[in-house]
Amino acid sequence: MMFRARQSGVALIEALVALLVFSLGLVAIASLLAVALKYQTGNEARLNVSAVIDDLSERIRVNAPGANGYSGVVAGVGVEGKGYLLTDAYSEQVAEVATEPAKDCASAVCTPAELAVFDLARWKNILRAALPGGAGYVTGDVRAGFDVSVMWFDKGAVDEKGDALEQAACTRKKEDLQTGSARFCCPEGAKAPAGVRCYTARVLP
């Protein structure tokens, strides 16, 4: 009887150990899936970046007369605009509510200035839909070309405390611009916070 009781106790301990090992395995698998999902989201964002830059570059090329900001008189009415320049800070853009422009240039005739406003509004909505925390920053002109920066929030760029693992912005100093990572620097004017990644490309109309 004593021998059987000891056998039953050993079996119970073995079952508990097996349950513990199984639980640890499940926790490890869950952690692995969470990390994989995080990097998958980041990879999808990077794939969408080139597409949204191509979208804006085509809009600029189609509306080259209004790219710099058209100022003049149309049908006796003075019109002006800022073209495709987009210099709002990152936090301001992500706080905006997605809206459609007052005039739909897809179905109505628009001036170059109106078309630029329409294109920028559409492009900002595309950024919001294609990228987590998506925003843009555009500077330049038709002659020199436009520097188009796409910004998005990447969980993989911050640690558990929310601090950036790498520099979010770089200066316009010559030594910074000559580095290989300059293309991934956030514009200073965008004031990108920790965790925001950027990609900049030059668009020539």
Side-chain angles (χ1 to χ4, degrees), residues 94-128:
V94 296
E96 290 179 359
V97 178
T99 57
E100 291 293 332
K103 191 171 185 178
D104 184 4
C105 294
S107 58
V109 177
C110 293
T111 65
E114 290 172 335
L115 182 56
V117 171
F118 173 80
D119 285 341
L120 265 185
R122 280 291 178 89
W123 190 63
K124 288 164 72 174
N125 289 340
I126 290 173
L127 288 173
R128 294 187 185 101

Side-chain angles (χ1 to χ4, degrees), residues 66-177:
N68 281 343
Y70 180 87
S71 298
V73 178
V74 177
V77 180
V79 295
E80 59 181 55
K82 62 178 184 178
Y84 290 93
L85 300 182
L86 178 58
T87 56
D88 298 334
Y90 176 83
S91 58
E92 296 175 4
Q93 293 188 51
V94 296
E96 290 179 359
V97 178
T99 57
E100 291 293 332
K103 191 171 185 178
D104 184 4
C105 294
S107 58
V109 177
C110 293
T111 65
E114 290 172 335
L115 182 56
V117 171
F118 173 80
D119 285 341
L120 265 185
R122 280 291 178 89
W123 190 63
K124 288 164 72 174
N125 289 340
I126 290 173
L127 288 173
R128 294 187 185 101
L131 302 166
Y137 197 86
V138 185
T139 58
D141 54 44
V142 172
R143 178 176 296 180
F146 292 89
D147 287 328
V148 180
S149 297
V150 174
M151 303 179 284
W152 72 97
F153 183 76
D154 187 354
K155 293 181 179 179
V158 294
D159 58 19
E160 294 179 356
K161 298 179 181 179
D163 298 326
L165 295 177
E166 57 188 56
Q167 188 70 16
C170 62
T171 67
R172 301 296 294 177
K173 295 179 181 178
K174 186 176 181 180
E175 55 269 25
D176 285 339
L177 294 175

